[in-house]
Amino acid sequence: MSIFDPAIHRVQRVLCFGAHPDDLDFGASGTVATWTAAGVEVQYCIMTDGDAGGFDARSTEEIIAMRHAEQRAAAALVGVDTVHFLGEADGFLEPNHRVMKQVVALIRGLRPDVVLVMHPERNWERIQRSHPDHMACGEAVTRAIYPAVENPFSYPELLEEGLAAYKLPWLWLYGAPSERENHRVDITEVFDLKLAALRQHLSQHPDVQAMEAYVRAQSVEQGAKAGFAPGALAEAFHVVAVNAADTIAGF
C-alpha cells in the first residue's frame, strides 16, 4: 500500500529538481502534468546547464542556450511556467553548501507540499540512471531538506532575506532503485504530453523512436506493478514523509 494517499494528502505547490535538462521529463513529467491539470502550482529547478550533452559541434554558450530553451519548452507543455537554473557545470555537480543554500532558499520561498528530486542512491539495475550528477542532485536536496530548510540557524542570512524556516511535508524521489519504489501515479491520460515534452530535447535523442519505445515500455511495466488497468501507464517514486502528523524531529 502506498504511503501517500492523494485523497487525503492535499497537494497545492510542488518544487521539482533535476540535475540536467530532460531529467524531469524522463522521470516525472507525466505526474507533473496530472498535478498542473488539477490546478497545482509546479516549479522546476535544473541544477546544471547540460553543457556536456549533445551530439553535434557547438560552443558551450550555444549548448547552454539551446538546452535552457528545450527545457522551458518541455516544461510549458506540462503546465510549468517557472524554471530555475542553478548554472552548475554538467558532470561536476556536488552536494556542497553553495548548492544547498540555493535549494533551501527556493524551498523556503515556495513553501511546497512536495519536493520532487532524483534519487541519491545508486541504481545497479541500470547504472545510467545513476549519473554522478543525478546522485549529487538527490543528495544536495535531501541534505537541504533536513535539517537546513526547517532549521532557522542554517544559513541565517536567508532569514534576513525574509525566507523563514519551513517544515516540508513530503519528499518524492524519482529514478529510485526498484526496491525503494512505494508509490505510483497513473499517467495514461497525459502520456502523450510526456512524450511531447521529451521530444523538445531533440539535441539529446539521436533515435527518437527508440527513446519513445523505451519510455512507453517502462511506463507499462510500472502500471502493471501498480495493479492499474491492463495497459495503463505509470511513473514510480520513493515517497518519504518528512514531517507527518507523528513526526518527532529536532536538530
Side-chain angles (χ1 to χ4, degrees), residues 5-10:
D5 184 349
I8 298 173
H9 304 115
R10 190 175 181 188

Side-chain angles (χ1 to χ4, degrees), residues 104 108 142-152 154 165-166 250-251:
V104 171
R108 289 186 183 180
T142 303
R143 288 188 195 181
I145 284 170
Y146 185 81
V149 168
E150 60 185 68
N151 185 350
S154 295
Y166 171 65
F251 357 100

Side-chain angles (χ1 to χ4, degrees), residues 69-214:
E70 288 174 342
Q71 182 61 88
R72 289 193 177 97
L77 285 171
V78 294
V80 177
D81 298 324
T82 301
V83 182
H84 308 273
F85 293 95
L86 297 192
E88 296 293 311
D90 189 349
F92 293 86
L93 183 63
E94 297 287 347
N96 55 39
H97 285 285
R98 181 186 66 251
V99 173
M100 288 166 58
K101 179 182 173 181
Q102 293 176 84
V103 171
V104 171
L106 286 170
I107 295 173
R108 289 186 183 180
L110 184 60
R111 306 179 87 78
D113 305 294
V114 172
V115 164
L116 187 148
V117 69
M118 314 191 83
H119 208 283
E121 295 182 30
R122 192 175 302 279
N123 188 332
W124 293 108
E125 295 176 3
R126 186 171 183 271
I127 200 167
Q128 287 83 357
R129 289 184 176 177
S130 302
H131 187 296
D133 286 351
H134 293 183
M135 294 187 295
C137 174
E139 184 64 25
V141 172
T142 303
R143 288 188 195 181
I145 284 170
Y146 185 81
V149 168
E150 60 185 68
N151 185 350
F153 300 103
S154 295
Y155 311 118
E157 61 273 25
L158 295 180
L159 289 178
E160 298 173 8
E161 298 173 17
L163 296 171
Y166 171 65
K167 288 184 177 293
L168 175 75
W170 295 98
L171 171 62
W172 288 35
L173 300 133
Y174 63 100
S178 58
E179 65 270 18
R180 298 290 191 198
E181 294 168 351
N182 62 359
H183 182 68
R184 292 175 175 84
V185 176
D186 190 329
I187 62 167
T188 308
E189 296 301 317
V190 296
F191 187 72
D192 286 345
L193 288 176
K194 180 181 178 75
L195 290 185
L198 283 164
R199 290 187 200 113
Q200 301 310 304
H201 302 280
L202 288 178
S203 67
Q204 307 305 299
H205 304 312
D207 188 337
V208 174
Q209 288 186 330
M211 177 273 291
E212 292 185 358
Y214 173 78

